[in-house]
Structure formats: structure tokens, C-alpha cells
Amino acid sequence: GLGEQIGAVTYPDEQCDVFGSAGFDVVRIDNREAGRSRSLVDPTPPFTLTDMADDVAAVICDLDRGPVHVLGASLGGYIVRWLAIGHPQLVQTLTVVMSGAGAGPGDSGPQVDPAVRARSEARRTRRPRTEAIEAIVEDWRWLWGNGFPFPEVWVRERVADAYDRAFRPEGVTRQLEAVMATPGLWSAQRSITAPTLVVHGDHDPYFDAAHGRGIAESIPGAELRAHPSMGHIMHREQWHDLAQAVRELADHST
């Protein structure tokens, strides 16, 4: 996700343990300009999401583990689709969770709400620790939706740990610039050949349900699993079902 890093609210250790119990070896990475990844000072021209997908491909190749089962959420959902387009030989299955349809202003697909984009841009602000943690916790409260209880204490712990590990709001700016600099995904994703699962919430406040439907309709043979209570987060209550769904996708791909 945008600005997210290893061990934060998205893909915490406990969720990775659930995937491990489903038979997966789990690998997480800090994307460019997030967490402890190496900073690119004033990149000119700005990097794109295809460059970020190439980063993931480099990790897979370095581990000598391809093809692999890839899961990306939100911004990560864009990155893994570009990975499947640019490096199909490395992707055995693809799971896209709570991501945007990838449609640009001239496309027929669902668009990103300008108010939502403004909330993303607010994450670029550098704040003192206490103020930043409060702002990020409130952002997660909004993203959580109303379908499941908001675990405020746990979220606050994860946000605080992430702040102490690497607080990089300037990286959020660069990742947003990467989104804007990347050519349209809406048409390109039609070339994806990997077996694909799309998971999306019916009450996602960031990318509404039309985005999930649009992705599933664009990728040949993709399966859509719409969750009536899911917000813009992989809720703890869903972890086992999500891991099992990816396990089933993986088993059917062999």
C-alpha cells in the first residue's frame, strides 16, 4: 500500500503467519521510497509503477524462487499487475486485493474519487511523532469502514512501530508521482495470463466496489470475491479465508 512498509498495518507478522500455516513461504519487501528501501534522491524523470514492478521481479530472481504466487493490496495491487504484464514467467498466480481499476481519465473504467486522492496527498506531510501517529491512526479508522470493529490499540502499536522504523512522507510523494507517471493499466491488464483472484470490499471507502468489478472483468478468467463487510484493509477476521482462497488458487494452478 501507499507508503506502507514491512510489519506495519498491512501484512503484519500475524497475517504472514496465517499464510505460512496455509503452506506458503512468505516474502515481504519495502517498496521504493518506503520503509528501509534505498532512497532515490530527486529522481529525474520520476520512476514509474513498472519500475516498482521490476524491483519485485529482481527480488524474485535474487531469491531464485520463481514463478511465485503474488499478492498485492491497494498500490501493491497496481504493482503486481504490472509485474504479471512485464514478467509473466515469474508469476504463477496473481491476487489483487482492494486495488484501483487502473482506468485513466480517458478510459471507460471507474475513476479515483478526487476527495480520496486528496486524502492520499495529505500523507505527504512531515509531522512530529505524536501528531503523525494520531493522523495515521485516524486515516486507518476511515479506511477500516464499519463492517468490522476497529482495533485501535493494535493499529496504534503498528503505526508507532512503523514510524520508529522509517517515517518517510517524502516517499509517499514520490510514489504518488510514480502513479501519475505510469501509462494506463486499464487496457494493459487485459494481457495478463496468470490465474487471477480479485478480492474487494463492497464498502471500501477508497476504491469503491466498481473498481474490483472492473479489474475482474478486465483480466481474462479472473475470479472476483466481493466481501460485504470489507473496508480498505485486509481485516483480521478475513485472514484465514483469504489465505485459503489463495491456497485454492495456487493448488488449481499446478
Side-chain angles (χ1 to χ4, degrees), residues 200-221:
H200 211 96
D202 286 345
H203 295 285
D204 188 324
Y206 200 100
F207 296 122
D208 64 37
H211 285 267
R213 292 194 298 269
I215 296 169
E217 291 168 2
S218 297
I219 299 175

mmCIF file of all heavy atoms in Angstrom, residues 200-221:
data_model
loop_
_atom_site.group_PDB
_atom_site.id
_atom_site.type_symbol
_atom_site.label_atom_id
_atom_site.label_comp_id
_atom_site.label_asym_id
_atom_site.label_seq_id
_atom_site.Cartn_x
_atom_site.Cartn_y
_atom_site.Cartn_z
ATOM 1 N N HIS A 200 -12.260 -7.763 -3.055
ATOM 2 C CA HIS A 200 -12.623 -6.351 -2.890
ATOM 3 C C HIS A 200 -13.801 -6.239 -1.935
ATOM 4 O O HIS A 200 -14.664 -7.105 -1.877
ATOM 5 C CB HIS A 200 -13.001 -5.735 -4.241
ATOM 6 C CG HIS A 200 -12.671 -4.281 -4.350
ATOM 7 N ND1 HIS A 200 -11.523 -3.816 -4.930
ATOM 8 C CD2 HIS A 200 -13.335 -3.176 -3.913
ATOM 9 C CE1 HIS A 200 -11.493 -2.497 -4.881
ATOM 10 N NE2 HIS A 200 -12.586 -2.080 -4.263
ATOM 11 N N GLY A 201 -13.820 -5.144 -1.188
ATOM 12 C CA GLY A 201 -14.905 -4.905 -0.253
ATOM 13 C C GLY A 201 -16.039 -4.107 -0.870
ATOM 14 O O GLY A 201 -15.806 -3.182 -1.649
ATOM 15 N N ASP A 202 -17.251 -4.451 -0.502
ATOM 16 C CA ASP A 202 -18.417 -3.724 -1.004
ATOM 17 C C ASP A 202 -18.523 -2.331 -0.402
ATOM 18 O O ASP A 202 -19.239 -1.478 -0.927
ATOM 19 C CB ASP A 202 -19.704 -4.507 -0.698
ATOM 20 C CG ASP A 202 -19.862 -5.724 -1.589
ATOM 21 O OD1 ASP A 202 -19.155 -5.804 -2.608
ATOM 22 O OD2 ASP A 202 -20.697 -6.588 -1.266
ATOM 23 N N HIS A 203 -17.815 -2.099 0.711
ATOM 24 C CA HIS A 203 -17.871 -0.793 1.371
ATOM 25 C C HIS A 203 -16.473 -0.193 1.520
ATOM 26 O O HIS A 203 -16.185 0.453 2.517
ATOM 27 C CB HIS A 203 -18.568 -0.924 2.730
ATOM 28 C CG HIS A 203 -19.997 -1.326 2.623
ATOM 29 N ND1 HIS A 203 -20.979 -0.460 2.219
ATOM 30 C CD2 HIS A 203 -20.614 -2.524 2.823
ATOM 31 C CE1 HIS A 203 -22.150 -1.089 2.200
ATOM 32 N NE2 HIS A 203 -21.954 -2.345 2.544
ATOM 33 N N ASP A 204 -15.656 -0.406 0.501
ATOM 34 C CA ASP A 204 -14.308 0.171 0.504
ATOM 35 C C ASP A 204 -14.438 1.681 0.310
ATOM 36 O O ASP A 204 -14.941 2.139 -0.717
ATOM 37 C CB ASP A 204 -13.502 -0.447 -0.641
ATOM 38 C CG ASP A 204 -12.022 -0.072 -0.613
ATOM 39 O OD1 ASP A 204 -11.723 1.080 -0.240
ATOM 40 O OD2 ASP A 204 -11.193 -0.914 -0.985
ATOM 41 N N PRO A 205 -13.964 2.502 1.286
ATOM 42 C CA PRO A 205 -14.103 3.946 1.145
ATOM 43 C C PRO A 205 -13.074 4.569 0.210
ATOM 44 O O PRO A 205 -13.195 5.752 -0.138
ATOM 45 C CB PRO A 205 -13.904 4.454 2.583
ATOM 46 C CG PRO A 205 -12.976 3.453 3.189
ATOM 47 C CD PRO A 205 -13.363 2.134 2.578
ATOM 48 N N TYR A 206 -12.072 3.813 -0.171
ATOM 49 C CA TYR A 206 -11.002 4.345 -1.016
ATOM 50 C C TYR A 206 -11.272 4.030 -2.484
ATOM 51 O O TYR A 206 -11.374 4.930 -3.314
ATOM 52 C CB TYR A 206 -9.660 3.771 -0.567
ATOM 53 C CG TYR A 206 -8.472 4.587 -1.013
ATOM 54 C CD1 TYR A 206 -7.836 5.464 -0.136
ATOM 55 C CD2 TYR A 206 -7.966 4.490 -2.302
ATOM 56 C CE1 TYR A 206 -6.752 6.223 -0.526
ATOM 57 C CE2 TYR A 206 -6.883 5.243 -2.712
ATOM 58 C CZ TYR A 206 -6.274 6.110 -1.830
ATOM 59 O OH TYR A 206 -5.207 6.859 -2.238
ATOM 60 N N PHE A 207 -11.377 2.760 -2.808
ATOM 61 C CA PHE A 207 -11.763 2.320 -4.143
ATOM 62 C C PHE A 207 -13.108 1.615 -4.003
ATOM 63 O O PHE A 207 -13.179 0.526 -3.420
ATOM 64 C CB PHE A 207 -10.739 1.343 -4.736
ATOM 65 C CG PHE A 207 -9.375 1.936 -4.970
ATOM 66 C CD1 PHE A 207 -8.257 1.376 -4.365
ATOM 67 C CD2 PHE A 207 -9.203 3.027 -5.800
ATOM 68 C CE1 PHE A 207 -6.985 1.894 -4.591
ATOM 69 C CE2 PHE A 207 -7.939 3.562 -6.028
ATOM 70 C CZ PHE A 207 -6.829 2.995 -5.419
ATOM 71 N N ASP A 208 -14.173 2.201 -4.513
ATOM 72 C CA ASP A 208 -15.486 1.585 -4.321
ATOM 73 C C ASP A 208 -15.572 0.260 -5.069
ATOM 74 O O ASP A 208 -14.666 -0.120 -5.820
ATOM 75 C CB ASP A 208 -16.616 2.545 -4.705
ATOM 76 C CG ASP A 208 -16.627 2.917 -6.182
ATOM 77 O OD1 ASP A 208 -16.323 2.054 -7.027
ATOM 78 O OD2 ASP A 208 -16.944 4.087 -6.493
ATOM 79 N N ALA A 209 -16.669 -0.450 -4.862
ATOM 80 C CA ALA A 209 -16.800 -1.818 -5.356
ATOM 81 C C ALA A 209 -16.673 -1.916 -6.872
ATOM 82 O O ALA A 209 -16.284 -2.965 -7.399
ATOM 83 C CB ALA A 209 -18.141 -2.397 -4.906
ATOM 84 N N ALA A 210 -16.974 -0.822 -7.579
ATOM 85 C CA ALA A 210 -16.867 -0.851 -9.041
ATOM 86 C C ALA A 210 -15.427 -1.102 -9.488
ATOM 87 O O ALA A 210 -15.200 -1.678 -10.563
ATOM 88 C CB ALA A 210 -17.368 0.467 -9.622
ATOM 89 N N HIS A 211 -14.455 -0.703 -8.690
ATOM 90 C CA HIS A 211 -13.055 -0.937 -9.048
ATOM 91 C C HIS A 211 -12.744 -2.433 -9.057
ATOM 92 O O HIS A 211 -12.084 -2.939 -9.976
ATOM 93 C CB HIS A 211 -12.132 -0.201 -8.079
ATOM 94 C CG HIS A 211 -12.084 1.275 -8.305
ATOM 95 N ND1 HIS A 211 -11.141 1.876 -9.096
ATOM 96 C CD2 HIS A 211 -12.886 2.273 -7.845
ATOM 97 C CE1 HIS A 211 -11.334 3.177 -9.125
ATOM 98 N NE2 HIS A 211 -12.388 3.451 -8.360
ATOM 99 N N GLY A 212 -13.205 -3.156 -8.036
ATOM 100 C CA GLY A 212 -12.980 -4.595 -8.003
ATOM 101 C C GLY A 212 -13.629 -5.289 -9.187
ATOM 102 O O GLY A 212 -13.032 -6.162 -9.826
ATOM 103 N N ARG A 213 -14.869 -4.900 -9.477
ATOM 104 C CA ARG A 213 -15.561 -5.499 -10.627
ATOM 105 C C ARG A 213 -14.823 -5.187 -11.920
ATOM 106 O O ARG A 213 -14.689 -6.058 -12.805
ATOM 107 C CB ARG A 213 -17.001 -4.990 -10.691
ATOM 108 C CG ARG A 213 -17.883 -5.468 -9.542
ATOM 109 C CD ARG A 213 -19.345 -5.213 -9.839
ATOM 110 N NE ARG A 213 -19.630 -3.784 -9.997
ATOM 111 C CZ ARG A 213 -19.988 -2.985 -9.005
ATOM 112 N NH1 ARG A 213 -20.098 -3.467 -7.779
ATOM 113 N NH2 ARG A 213 -20.254 -1.702 -9.228
ATOM 114 N N GLY A 214 -14.332 -3.954 -12.035
ATOM 115 C CA GLY A 214 -13.635 -3.566 -13.258
ATOM 116 C C GLY A 214 -12.364 -4.363 -13.483
ATOM 117 O O GLY A 214 -12.068 -4.774 -14.610
ATOM 118 N N ILE A 215 -11.611 -4.598 -12.409
ATOM 119 C CA ILE A 215 -10.382 -5.398 -12.526
ATOM 120 C C ILE A 215 -10.725 -6.825 -12.966
ATOM 121 O O ILE A 215 -10.116 -7.373 -13.895
ATOM 122 C CB ILE A 215 -9.621 -5.425 -11.190
ATOM 123 C CG1 ILE A 215 -9.149 -4.023 -10.806
ATOM 124 C CG2 ILE A 215 -8.414 -6.376 -11.278
ATOM 125 C CD1 ILE A 215 -8.626 -3.925 -9.383
ATOM 126 N N ALA A 216 -11.703 -7.421 -12.288
ATOM 127 C CA ALA A 216 -12.062 -8.812 -12.584
ATOM 128 C C ALA A 216 -12.592 -8.973 -14.008
ATOM 129 O O ALA A 216 -12.339 -9.982 -14.670
ATOM 130 C CB ALA A 216 -13.091 -9.304 -11.572
ATOM 131 N N GLU A 217 -13.310 -7.971 -14.492
ATOM 132 C CA GLU A 217 -13.844 -8.042 -15.854
ATOM 133 C C GLU A 217 -12.771 -7.809 -16.904
ATOM 134 O O GLU A 217 -12.904 -8.276 -18.044
ATOM 135 C CB GLU A 217 -14.975 -7.021 -16.010
ATOM 136 C CG GLU A 217 -16.222 -7.372 -15.204
ATOM 137 C CD GLU A 217 -17.217 -6.230 -15.127
ATOM 138 O OE1 GLU A 217 -16.952 -5.164 -15.748
ATOM 139 O OE2 GLU A 217 -18.255 -6.386 -14.463
ATOM 140 N N SER A 218 -11.707 -7.101 -16.521
ATOM 141 C CA SER A 218 -10.650 -6.776 -17.486
ATOM 142 C C SER A 218 -9.635 -7.893 -17.657
ATOM 143 O O SER A 218 -9.074 -8.060 -18.741
ATOM 144 C CB SER A 218 -9.920 -5.500 -17.054
ATOM 145 O OG SER A 218 -10.791 -4.390 -17.055
ATOM 146 N N ILE A 219 -9.360 -8.637 -16.591
ATOM 147 C CA ILE A 219 -8.349 -9.695 -16.655
ATOM 148 C C ILE A 219 -9.028 -10.998 -17.054
ATOM 149 O O ILE A 219 -9.931 -11.473 -16.355
ATOM 150 C CB ILE A 219 -7.633 -9.850 -15.302
ATOM 151 C CG1 ILE A 219 -6.923 -8.538 -14.928
ATOM 152 C CG2 ILE A 219 -6.636 -11.001 -15.353
ATOM 153 C CD1 ILE A 219 -6.283 -8.566 -13.551
ATOM 154 N N PRO A 220 -8.620 -11.596 -18.164
ATOM 155 C CA PRO A 220 -9.290 -12.807 -18.649
ATOM 156 C C PRO A 220 -9.316 -13.914 -17.596
ATOM 157 O O PRO A 220 -8.293 -14.266 -17.015
ATOM 158 C CB PRO A 220 -8.432 -13.219 -19.853
ATOM 159 C CG PRO A 220 -7.809 -11.940 -20.326
ATOM 160 C CD PRO A 220 -7.543 -11.149 -19.070
ATOM 161 N N GLY A 221 -10.519 -14.431 -17.341
ATOM 162 C CA GLY A 221 -10.686 -15.568 -16.440
ATOM 163 C C GLY A 221 -10.570 -15.241 -14.971
ATOM 164 O O GLY A 221 -10.617 -16.155 -14.128
#
